[in-house]
Amino acid sequence: MINRTTAPAFETINKVDVIHANAQKLNNGIPFYSVNAGSQEIIKLEFIFRAGMYYQQAPLIASTTNSLLETGTKSYTANQISEGIDFFGSFIEVGVGQDYATITVFSLNKYLEQTLKFIEEVIKYPVFSPEELKIHITNKKQKHLINSQKVDVLARRKFSELLFGPNHPYGIDVKETDFDRVNIDEVNKFYGKYYQSKNCTIIASGHLPKNILEVLNKFFGEKEWGQPGVIVSEKIDLQTTKQKDHFVERPDAIQSAIRVGRILFNKTHKDYHHFQVLNVILGGYFGSRLMANIREDKGYTYGIGSGLASLVNTGYFFISTEVGADVTTKTLDEIYKEVKILREELVSESELETVRNYMLGQFLRSVDGPFALSDKFKAI
């Protein structure tokens, strides 16, 4: 019998075994990657399109198009899609980031084909109605107005605008008037250009059925679909502000949201992983220097963190926190002090060892299970 009164011995992580994705192609050339792992008879399918905000000609078009995919197709209404997918115990979610749009499906293996009948319609044959567009825009506009009262949202929006430029796709700050300008023709045009077989990648993860490639070919690989055309990702110049400090005034706010950062590099740069270690030391975990100083010692905030965001066309470093309005200047002074110390003084071996073990543990967690593995692979 195990002695529960004695804690297990502490051991460091010496090796992490990672299941690699298997690369294949559907009959029509769609790249297909599979991570076959786990023991549960469940599958996660991700359909990834280069159709994020970087590709839109005007604000809100990418997110609106992606959100409206579920609102009706040539064969099914929105309710029929929802009820049909629910009936088989499946789940669908859509999402848009700066670079990519995704449709993610979770399904029991035994009901995969029944589920994909609906997913095929959603991806290949959506019908965008003006009525659904009006409902979506009304809801999004209301949410936008509510969020515009929050200091952290205002800081994030302004930070992106200052980093990338007010006209860059990564930096555009959506205005209230942008919601009224979105029309169904723009949505149809954006869908037609970017949601096509030549612009699609599929990732499957889980305890995969042996005929997974055959099933996907049946619904998505027999022939090319969507409007044919090559997607060109044009390089758009950044317009980073030369102004070092910027303040967004909210006279009635009791808290201040702080964002500090700069354009840096993405994960293709040779120093990306080295900088990740540096970032964890500064503000990347609960025991970081920023947390120890500004939360634990000064008590200015409940939490502060830093990170390195990697986008397709660039990357950026940021420090983020919310503090009482009366200690905003003091917090900034402490942030710059910690950055200066990290820049000028060597990190001790004991602190580096702690961070190294923390990062190894986080990596181990990030590859625990088939869905986590597919997320890690998708990022790559």
Coordinates of all heavy atoms in Angstrom, one line a residue, residues 87-166:
F87 N -27.7 16.7 -31.9 CA -28.3 15.4 -31.9 C -27.2 14.3 -31.8 O -27.4 13.2 -31.2 CB -29.2 15.2 -33.1 CG -29.9 13.9 -33.1 CD1 -31.0 13.6 -32.3 CD2 -29.4 12.8 -33.9 CE1 -31.7 12.4 -32.4 CE2 -30.1 11.6 -34.0 CZ -31.2 11.4 -33.2
F88 N -26.1 14.5 -32.5 CA -25.1 13.5 -32.5 C -24.0 13.7 -31.5 O -22.9 13.1 -31.5 CB -24.4 13.4 -33.9 CG -25.4 12.9 -35.0 CD1 -25.9 13.8 -35.9 CD2 -25.8 11.6 -35.0 CE1 -26.8 13.4 -36.9 CE2 -26.7 11.2 -36.0 CZ -27.2 12.1 -36.9
G89 N -24.3 14.6 -30.5 CA -23.3 14.9 -29.5 C -22.1 15.6 -29.9 O -21.1 15.5 -29.3
S90 N -22.2 16.3 -31.0 CA -21.0 17.0 -31.6 C -21.1 18.5 -31.2 O -22.1 19.0 -30.6 CB -21.0 16.9 -33.1 OG -20.9 15.5 -33.5
F91 N -20.0 19.2 -31.5 CA -19.9 20.6 -31.1 C -19.1 21.3 -32.2 O -18.1 20.8 -32.7 CB -19.2 20.7 -29.8 CG -19.0 22.2 -29.3 CD1 -20.1 22.9 -28.9 CD2 -17.8 22.7 -29.4 CE1 -19.9 24.3 -28.5 CE2 -17.5 24.0 -29.0 CZ -18.6 24.8 -28.5
I92 N -19.5 22.5 -32.6 CA -18.8 23.3 -33.5 C -18.6 24.7 -33.0 O -19.4 25.3 -32.3 CB -19.6 23.4 -34.9 CG1 -18.8 24.3 -35.9 CG2 -21.0 24.0 -34.6 CD1 -19.5 24.4 -37.3
E93 N -17.4 25.3 -33.2 CA -17.1 26.7 -32.9 C -16.3 27.3 -34.0 O -15.5 26.6 -34.6 CB -16.4 26.7 -31.5 CG -15.0 26.0 -31.5 CD -14.4 26.1 -30.1 OE1 -15.0 26.6 -29.2 OE2 -13.2 25.6 -30.0
V94 N -16.5 28.6 -34.2 CA -15.8 29.3 -35.2 C -15.0 30.4 -34.5 O -15.4 30.9 -33.4 CB -16.8 29.9 -36.2 CG1 -17.5 28.8 -37.0 CG2 -17.8 30.9 -35.6
G95 N -13.9 30.9 -35.2 CA -13.1 31.9 -34.6 C -12.2 32.6 -35.6 O -11.9 32.0 -36.6
V96 N -11.9 33.8 -35.3 CA -11.0 34.6 -36.2 C -9.9 35.3 -35.4 O -10.2 35.8 -34.3 CB -11.8 35.7 -37.0 CG1 -10.9 36.7 -37.6 CG2 -12.7 35.0 -38.0
G97 N -8.7 35.2 -35.9 CA -7.6 35.9 -35.3 C -7.0 36.9 -36.3 O -7.6 37.2 -37.3
Q98 N -5.8 37.4 -35.9 CA -5.2 38.4 -36.9 C -4.9 37.8 -38.2 O -5.0 38.5 -39.2 CB -3.9 38.9 -36.2 CG -4.1 39.9 -35.1 CD -4.0 39.3 -33.8 OE1 -4.3 38.1 -33.6 NE2 -3.7 40.0 -32.7
D99 N -4.5 36.5 -38.2 CA -4.1 35.9 -39.5 C -5.0 34.8 -40.0 O -5.1 34.6 -41.3 CB -2.7 35.3 -39.3 CG -1.6 36.4 -39.0 OD1 -1.4 37.2 -39.9 OD2 -1.1 36.4 -37.9
Y100 N -5.6 34.0 -39.2 CA -6.4 32.9 -39.6 C -7.8 32.9 -39.1 O -8.2 33.5 -38.1 CB -5.7 31.6 -39.1 CG -4.3 31.4 -39.7 CD1 -3.2 31.7 -38.9 CD2 -4.2 30.9 -41.0 CE1 -1.9 31.5 -39.4 CE2 -2.9 30.7 -41.5 CZ -1.8 31.0 -40.7 OH -0.5 30.8 -41.2
A101 N -8.7 32.2 -39.9 CA -10.0 31.9 -39.5 C -10.2 30.4 -39.3 O -9.6 29.6 -40.1 CB -11.0 32.4 -40.5
T102 N -10.9 29.9 -38.3 CA -11.0 28.5 -38.1 C -12.4 28.1 -37.9 O -13.3 28.8 -37.4 CB -10.2 28.1 -36.8 OG1 -10.6 28.8 -35.7 CG2 -8.7 28.4 -37.0
I103 N -12.7 26.8 -38.3 CA -13.9 26.1 -37.9 C -13.5 24.9 -37.2 O -12.8 24.0 -37.8 CB -14.8 25.8 -39.1 CG1 -15.3 27.1 -39.8 CG2 -16.0 25.0 -38.7 CD1 -14.4 27.5 -41.0
T104 N -13.9 24.7 -35.9 CA -13.4 23.6 -35.1 C -14.6 22.7 -34.8 O -15.7 23.2 -34.4 CB -12.7 24.1 -33.8 OG1 -11.7 24.9 -34.2 CG2 -12.2 22.9 -33.1
V105 N -14.4 21.4 -35.0 CA -15.5 20.4 -34.7 C -15.0 19.4 -33.8 O -13.9 18.8 -33.9 CB -16.0 19.8 -36.1 CG1 -17.2 18.9 -35.8 CG2 -16.2 20.8 -37.1
F106 N -15.9 19.0 -32.8 CA -15.6 17.9 -31.9 C -16.7 16.9 -32.1 O -17.9 17.3 -32.1 CB -15.6 18.3 -30.4 CG -14.5 19.3 -30.0 CD1 -14.7 20.6 -30.2 CD2 -13.3 18.8 -29.6 CE1 -13.7 21.5 -29.8 CE2 -12.3 19.6 -29.2 CZ -12.5 21.0 -29.4
S107 N -16.4 15.6 -32.3 CA -17.4 14.6 -32.6 C -16.9 13.3 -32.1 O -15.7 12.9 -32.0 CB -17.5 14.5 -34.2 OG -18.4 13.4 -34.5
L108 N -17.9 12.5 -31.7 CA -17.7 11.1 -31.4 C -17.3 10.4 -32.8 O -17.9 10.7 -33.8 CB -18.9 10.4 -30.8 CG -19.4 10.9 -29.5 CD1 -20.7 10.3 -29.1 CD2 -18.3 10.6 -28.4
N109 N -16.4 9.5 -32.7 CA -15.9 8.8 -33.9 C -17.1 8.1 -34.7 O -17.2 8.2 -35.9 CB -14.9 7.8 -33.6 CG -13.5 8.4 -33.3 OD1 -13.4 9.6 -33.3 ND2 -12.5 7.5 -33.0
K110 N -18.0 7.5 -33.9 CA -19.1 6.7 -34.6 C -20.1 7.6 -35.3 O -20.8 7.2 -36.2 CB -19.7 5.8 -33.6 CG -20.4 6.5 -32.4 CD -21.1 5.5 -31.5 CE -21.7 6.2 -30.3 NZ -22.3 5.2 -29.4
Y111 N -20.1 8.9 -35.0 CA -21.0 9.8 -35.6 C -20.3 10.9 -36.5 O -20.9 11.9 -36.8 CB -21.9 10.5 -34.6 CG -22.8 9.6 -33.8 CD1 -22.8 9.7 -32.4 CD2 -23.6 8.7 -34.5 CE1 -23.7 8.8 -31.7 CE2 -24.4 7.9 -33.7 CZ -24.5 7.9 -32.4 OH -25.3 7.1 -31.7
L112 N -19.1 10.6 -36.8 CA -18.3 11.6 -37.6 C -18.9 11.9 -38.9 O -19.1 13.1 -39.3 CB -16.9 11.1 -37.8 CG -15.9 12.0 -38.5 CD1 -15.8 13.4 -37.9 CD2 -14.6 11.4 -38.7
E113 N -19.3 10.9 -39.7 CA -19.9 11.2 -41.0 C -21.2 11.9 -40.9 O -21.4 12.8 -41.7 CB -20.0 9.9 -41.8 CG -18.7 9.2 -42.1 CD -18.9 8.2 -43.2 OE1 -19.6 8.5 -44.2 OE2 -18.3 7.1 -43.1
Q114 N -22.0 11.6 -40.0 CA -23.3 12.3 -39.8 C -23.0 13.8 -39.4 O -23.7 14.7 -39.9 CB -24.2 11.6 -38.7 CG -24.7 10.3 -39.1 CD -23.8 9.1 -38.7 OE1 -22.5 9.3 -38.7 NE2 -24.3 8.0 -38.3
T115 N -22.0 14.0 -38.6 CA -21.7 15.4 -38.3 C -21.1 16.1 -39.4 O -21.5 17.3 -39.7 CB -20.7 15.4 -37.1 OG1 -21.2 14.7 -36.0 CG2 -20.3 16.8 -36.7
L116 N -20.3 15.5 -40.2 CA -19.6 16.2 -41.3 C -20.6 16.6 -42.5 O -20.3 17.5 -43.3 CB -18.5 15.3 -41.9 CG -17.2 15.2 -41.0 CD1 -16.2 14.4 -41.7 CD2 -16.7 16.6 -40.8
K117 N -21.8 15.9 -42.5 CA -22.8 16.4 -43.5 C -23.2 17.8 -43.2 O -23.4 18.6 -44.1 CB -24.0 15.5 -43.4 CG -23.8 14.1 -43.9 CD -25.1 13.2 -43.8 CE -24.8 11.8 -44.3 NZ -26.0 10.9 -44.1
F118 N -23.3 18.2 -41.9 CA -23.6 19.6 -41.6 C -22.4 20.5 -41.8 O -22.5 21.6 -42.2 CB -24.1 19.6 -40.1 CG -25.4 19.0 -39.9 CD1 -25.5 17.7 -39.4 CD2 -26.6 19.6 -40.3 CE1 -26.7 17.0 -39.2 CE2 -27.8 18.9 -40.1 CZ -27.9 17.7 -39.5
I119 N -21.2 20.0 -41.4 CA -20.0 20.8 -41.4 C -19.7 21.1 -42.9 O -19.2 22.2 -43.2 CB -18.8 20.1 -40.7 CG1 -19.2 19.8 -39.3 CG2 -17.6 21.0 -40.8 CD1 -19.7 20.9 -38.5
E120 N -19.9 20.2 -43.8 CA -19.6 20.4 -45.2 C -20.5 21.5 -45.7 O -20.1 22.4 -46.4 CB -19.9 19.1 -46.0 CG -19.7 19.3 -47.5 CD -20.1 18.1 -48.3 OE1 -21.0 17.4 -47.9 OE2 -19.6 18.0 -49.5
E121 N -21.8 21.6 -45.3 CA -22.7 22.6 -45.7 C -22.2 24.0 -45.1 O -22.3 25.0 -45.9 CB -24.1 22.3 -45.2 CG -24.8 21.3 -46.0 CD -25.5 21.8 -47.2 OE1 -25.9 23.0 -47.2 OE2 -25.7 21.1 -48.2
V122 N -21.8 24.0 -43.9 CA -21.4 25.2 -43.2 C -20.2 25.8 -44.0 O -20.1 27.0 -44.2 CB -21.1 25.0 -41.8 CG1 -20.3 26.2 -41.2 CG2 -22.3 24.7 -41.0
I123 N -19.3 25.0 -44.3 CA -18.0 25.5 -45.0 C -18.2 25.8 -46.4 O -17.7 26.8 -46.9 CB -16.9 24.5 -44.7 CG1 -16.5 24.4 -43.2 CG2 -15.6 24.9 -45.5 CD1 -15.5 23.4 -42.9
K124 N -18.9 24.9 -47.1 CA -18.9 25.0 -48.6 C -20.2 25.7 -49.2 O -20.1 26.3 -50.3 CB -18.8 23.6 -49.2 CG -17.5 23.0 -49.0 CD -17.5 21.4 -49.2 CE -17.7 21.1 -50.6 NZ -17.5 19.6 -50.8
Y125 N -21.3 25.7 -48.4 CA -22.5 26.2 -49.0 C -23.3 27.1 -48.1 O -24.5 27.0 -47.9 CB -23.4 25.0 -49.4 CG -22.7 24.0 -50.2 CD1 -22.5 22.7 -49.7 CD2 -22.3 24.3 -51.5 CE1 -21.9 21.7 -50.5 CE2 -21.7 23.3 -52.3 CZ -21.5 22.0 -51.8 OH -20.9 21.1 -52.5
P126 N -22.6 28.1 -47.4 CA -23.4 29.0 -46.5 C -24.2 30.0 -47.3 O -23.8 30.3 -48.5 CB -22.2 29.7 -45.7 CG -21.1 29.7 -46.7 CD -21.2 28.4 -47.4
V127 N -25.3 30.4 -46.7 CA -26.1 31.5 -47.3 C -26.1 32.6 -46.3 O -26.6 32.5 -45.2 CB -27.5 31.0 -47.7 CG1 -28.4 32.1 -48.2 CG2 -27.5 29.8 -48.7
F128 N -25.6 33.8 -46.7 CA -25.5 34.9 -45.9 C -26.8 35.8 -46.1 O -26.9 36.4 -47.1 CB -24.3 35.7 -46.1 CG -23.0 34.9 -45.9 CD1 -22.2 34.6 -47.0 CD2 -22.6 34.4 -44.7 CE1 -21.1 33.8 -46.9 CE2 -21.5 33.7 -44.5 CZ -20.7 33.4 -45.6
S129 N -27.6 35.8 -45.1 CA -28.9 36.6 -45.3 C -28.7 38.0 -44.6 O -28.1 38.1 -43.6 CB -30.1 35.9 -44.7 OG -30.0 35.9 -43.3
P130 N -29.4 39.0 -45.2 CA -29.3 40.4 -44.6 C -29.9 40.4 -43.2 O -29.5 41.1 -42.3 CB -30.2 41.2 -45.6 CG -30.1 40.5 -46.9 CD -30.0 39.0 -46.5
E131 N -30.9 39.5 -43.0 CA -31.6 39.5 -41.6 C -30.6 39.0 -40.6 O -30.5 39.6 -39.5 CB -32.8 38.6 -41.7 CG -34.0 39.1 -42.5 CD -33.7 38.9 -44.0 OE1 -32.8 38.1 -44.3 OE2 -34.4 39.5 -44.8
E132 N -29.9 37.9 -40.9 CA -28.9 37.4 -39.9 C -27.8 38.4 -39.7 O -27.2 38.5 -38.6 CB -28.4 36.0 -40.4 CG -29.4 34.9 -40.4 CD -29.7 34.5 -39.0 OE1 -29.1 34.9 -38.0 OE2 -30.7 33.6 -38.8
L133 N -27.4 39.1 -40.8 CA -26.3 40.1 -40.7 C -26.7 41.2 -39.8 O -25.9 41.6 -38.9 CB -26.0 40.6 -42.1 CG -25.0 41.8 -42.1 CD1 -23.6 41.3 -41.6 CD2 -24.8 42.3 -43.5
K134 N -27.9 41.6 -39.9 CA -28.4 42.7 -39.1 C -28.4 42.3 -37.6 O -28.0 43.1 -36.7 CB -29.9 43.1 -39.5 CG -30.4 44.3 -38.7 CD -31.8 44.7 -39.2 CE -32.4 45.8 -38.5 NZ -33.8 46.2 -39.0
I135 N -28.9 41.1 -37.3 CA -28.9 40.6 -35.9 C -27.5 40.6 -35.4 O -27.2 41.0 -34.2 CB -29.6 39.2 -35.8 CG1 -31.1 39.3 -36.2 CG2 -29.4 38.6 -34.4 CD1 -31.8 38.0 -36.3
H136 N -26.6 40.0 -36.2 CA -25.2 39.8 -35.7 C -24.5 41.2 -35.5 O -23.9 41.4 -34.4 CB -24.4 39.1 -36.8 CG -22.9 39.1 -36.5 ND1 -22.3 38.2 -35.6 CD2 -21.9 39.8 -37.1 CE1 -21.0 38.4 -35.6 NE2 -20.7 39.4 -36.5
I137 N -24.7 42.1 -36.4 CA -24.1 43.5 -36.2 C -24.7 44.2 -35.0 O -24.0 44.9 -34.3 CB -24.3 44.3 -37.5 CG1 -23.4 43.7 -38.7 CG2 -23.9 45.7 -37.3 CD1 -21.9 43.7 -38.4
T138 N -26.0 44.1 -34.8 CA -26.6 44.7 -33.7 C -26.0 44.2 -32.4 O -25.7 45.0 -31.5 CB -28.1 44.5 -33.7 OG1 -28.7 45.1 -34.9 CG2 -28.8 45.2 -32.5
N139 N -25.9 42.9 -32.3 CA -25.3 42.3 -31.1 C -23.9 42.7 -30.9 O -23.4 43.0 -29.7 CB -25.5 40.8 -31.1 CG -26.9 40.3 -31.0 OD1 -27.8 41.1 -30.5 ND2 -27.2 39.1 -31.5
K140 N -23.1 42.7 -31.9 CA -21.7 43.0 -31.8 C -21.5 44.5 -31.5 O -20.6 44.8 -30.7 CB -21.0 42.7 -33.2 CG -20.9 41.2 -33.5 CD -19.9 40.5 -32.5 CE -18.5 40.8 -32.8 NZ -17.6 40.0 -32.0
K141 N -22.3 45.3 -32.1 CA -22.2 46.8 -31.8 C -22.5 47.0 -30.3 O -21.8 47.8 -29.7 CB -23.2 47.5 -32.7 CG -23.1 49.0 -32.6 CD -24.0 49.7 -33.6 CE -23.9 51.2 -33.5 NZ -24.8 51.9 -34.4
Q142 N -23.5 46.4 -29.8 CA -23.9 46.6 -28.4 C -22.7 46.1 -27.5 O -22.4 46.8 -26.5 CB -25.1 45.8 -28.0 CG -25.6 46.0 -26.6 CD -26.0 47.5 -26.3 OE1 -26.4 48.2 -27.2 NE2 -25.8 47.9 -25.1
K143 N -22.1 45.0 -27.8 CA -21.0 44.5 -27.0 C -19.8 45.4 -27.1 O -19.1 45.6 -26.1 CB -20.7 43.1 -27.5 CG -19.6 42.4 -26.7 CD -19.3 41.0 -27.2 CE -18.3 40.3 -26.3 NZ -18.0 38.9 -26.8
H144 N -19.6 45.9 -28.3 CA -18.5 46.9 -28.5 C -18.7 48.1 -27.6 O -17.7 48.6 -27.0 CB -18.4 47.3 -30.0 CG -17.4 48.3 -30.3 ND1 -16.1 48.0 -30.5 CD2 -17.5 49.7 -30.5 CE1 -15.4 49.1 -30.8 NE2 -16.2 50.1 -30.7
L145 N -19.9 48.7 -27.6 CA -20.2 49.8 -26.8 C -19.9 49.6 -25.3 O -19.4 50.4 -24.6 CB -21.6 50.3 -27.0 CG -21.9 50.9 -28.4 CD1 -23.4 51.2 -28.6 CD2 -21.0 52.1 -28.7
I146 N -20.4 48.4 -24.8 CA -20.1 48.0 -23.4 C -18.7 47.9 -23.1 O -18.2 48.4 -22.1 CB -20.9 46.7 -23.1 CG1 -22.4 46.9 -23.2 CG2 -20.5 46.2 -21.7 CD1 -23.2 45.7 -23.0
N147 N -17.9 47.2 -24.0 CA -16.5 47.0 -23.8 C -15.7 48.3 -23.8 O -14.7 48.4 -23.2 CB -15.9 46.0 -24.8 CG -16.3 44.6 -24.6 OD1 -16.6 44.2 -23.4 ND2 -16.3 43.8 -25.6
S148 N -16.3 49.3 -24.6 CA -15.6 50.6 -24.7 C -15.6 51.4 -23.4 O -14.9 52.4 -23.3 CB -16.2 51.4 -25.8 OG -16.1 50.8 -27.1
Q149 N -16.3 50.9 -22.4 CA -16.3 51.5 -21.1 C -15.2 51.0 -20.2 O -15.0 51.5 -19.1 CB -17.7 51.4 -20.4 CG -18.8 51.8 -21.3 CD -18.8 53.3 -21.6 OE1 -18.5 54.1 -20.8 NE2 -19.0 53.6 -22.9
K150 N -14.5 49.9 -20.6 CA -13.6 49.2 -19.8 C -12.2 49.7 -20.1 O -11.8 49.7 -21.3 CB -13.6 47.7 -20.0 CG -15.0 47.1 -19.7 CD -15.1 45.6 -20.1 CE -16.5 45.1 -19.9 NZ -16.6 43.6 -20.2
V151 N -11.4 50.0 -19.1 CA -10.1 50.6 -19.3 C -9.1 49.6 -20.0 O -8.3 50.0 -20.8 CB -9.5 51.2 -18.0 CG1 -10.3 52.4 -17.5 CG2 -9.4 50.1 -16.9
D152 N -9.2 48.3 -19.6 CA -8.3 47.4 -20.2 C -8.5 47.2 -21.7 O -7.6 47.0 -22.4 CB -8.4 46.0 -19.4 CG -9.8 45.4 -19.6 OD1 -10.8 46.1 -19.5 OD2 -9.9 44.2 -19.7
V153 N -9.8 47.3 -22.1 CA -10.1 47.2 -23.5 C -9.6 48.4 -24.3 O -9.0 48.3 -25.3 CB -11.6 47.0 -23.7 CG1 -12.0 47.0 -25.2 CG2 -12.1 45.7 -23.1
L154 N -9.8 49.6 -23.7 CA -9.3 50.8 -24.3 C -7.8 50.8 -24.5 O -7.3 51.2 -25.5 CB -9.8 52.0 -23.5 CG -11.3 52.3 -23.5 CD1 -11.6 53.4 -22.5 CD2 -11.8 52.6 -24.8
A155 N -7.1 50.3 -23.4 CA -5.7 50.2 -23.5 C -5.2 49.3 -24.5 O -4.2 49.5 -25.3 CB -5.1 49.8 -22.1
R156 N -5.8 48.1 -24.6 CA -5.4 47.1 -25.6 C -5.6 47.6 -27.0 O -4.8 47.5 -27.9 CB -6.2 45.8 -25.4 CG -6.0 44.8 -26.5 CD -6.7 43.4 -26.1 NE -8.0 43.6 -25.6 CZ -9.1 43.7 -26.5 NH1 -8.9 43.8 -27.8 NH2 -10.3 43.8 -26.0
R157 N -6.8 48.3 -27.3 CA -7.0 48.8 -28.6 C -6.0 49.9 -29.0 O -5.5 49.9 -30.1 CB -8.4 49.4 -28.7 CG -9.6 48.4 -28.6 CD -10.9 49.1 -28.5 NE -12.0 48.2 -28.3 CZ -13.3 48.6 -28.1 NH1 -13.5 49.9 -27.9 NH2 -14.2 47.7 -27.9
K158 N -5.8 50.8 -28.1 CA -4.8 51.9 -28.4 C -3.4 51.4 -28.5 O -2.6 51.8 -29.4 CB -4.9 53.0 -27.3 CG -4.0 54.1 -27.5 CD -4.2 54.8 -28.8 CE -5.5 55.6 -29.0 NZ -5.6 56.3 -30.2
F159 N -3.1 50.4 -27.7 CA -1.7 49.8 -27.8 C -1.5 49.2 -29.2 O -0.4 49.4 -29.8 CB -1.6 48.7 -26.7 CG -0.2 48.1 -26.6 CD1 0.9 48.9 -26.3 CD2 -0.1 46.7 -26.8 CE1 2.1 48.3 -26.1 CE2 1.2 46.2 -26.7 CZ 2.3 46.9 -26.4
S160 N -2.5 48.4 -29.7 CA -2.3 47.8 -31.0 C -2.2 48.9 -32.1 O -1.4 48.8 -33.0 CB -3.5 46.9 -31.3 OG -3.6 45.9 -30.4
E161 N -3.0 50.0 -32.0 CA -3.0 51.0 -33.0 C -1.6 51.7 -33.0 O -1.1 52.0 -34.1 CB -4.1 52.1 -32.7 CG -4.1 53.2 -33.6 CD -5.2 54.2 -33.2 OE1 -6.3 53.8 -33.1 OE2 -4.8 55.4 -33.1
L162 N -1.0 52.0 -31.8 CA 0.3 52.7 -31.7 C 1.4 51.8 -32.2 O 2.4 52.2 -32.8 CB 0.5 53.1 -30.3 CG -0.4 54.1 -29.7 CD1 -0.2 54.3 -28.2 CD2 -0.3 55.5 -30.5
L163 N 1.3 50.4 -31.9 CA 2.3 49.5 -32.4 C 2.4 49.4 -33.9 O 3.5 49.4 -34.5 CB 2.1 48.1 -31.7 CG 2.6 47.9 -30.3 CD1 2.4 46.4 -30.0 CD2 4.1 48.2 -30.2
F164 N 1.2 49.1 -34.5 CA 1.2 48.7 -35.9 C 0.8 49.9 -36.8 O 1.1 49.8 -38.0 CB 0.2 47.6 -36.1 CG 0.5 46.4 -35.2 CD1 -0.4 46.0 -34.2 CD2 1.6 45.6 -35.5 CE1 -0.1 44.9 -33.4 CE2 1.9 44.5 -34.7 CZ 1.1 44.2 -33.6
G165 N 0.1 50.9 -36.3 CA -0.4 52.0 -37.2 C -1.9 51.9 -37.3 O -2.5 50.8 -37.3
P166 N -2.5 53.0 -37.4 CA -4.0 53.1 -37.4 C -4.6 52.5 -38.7 O -5.8 52.1 -38.7 CB -4.3 54.6 -37.4 CG -3.1 55.3 -37.9 CD -1.9 54.4 -37.5

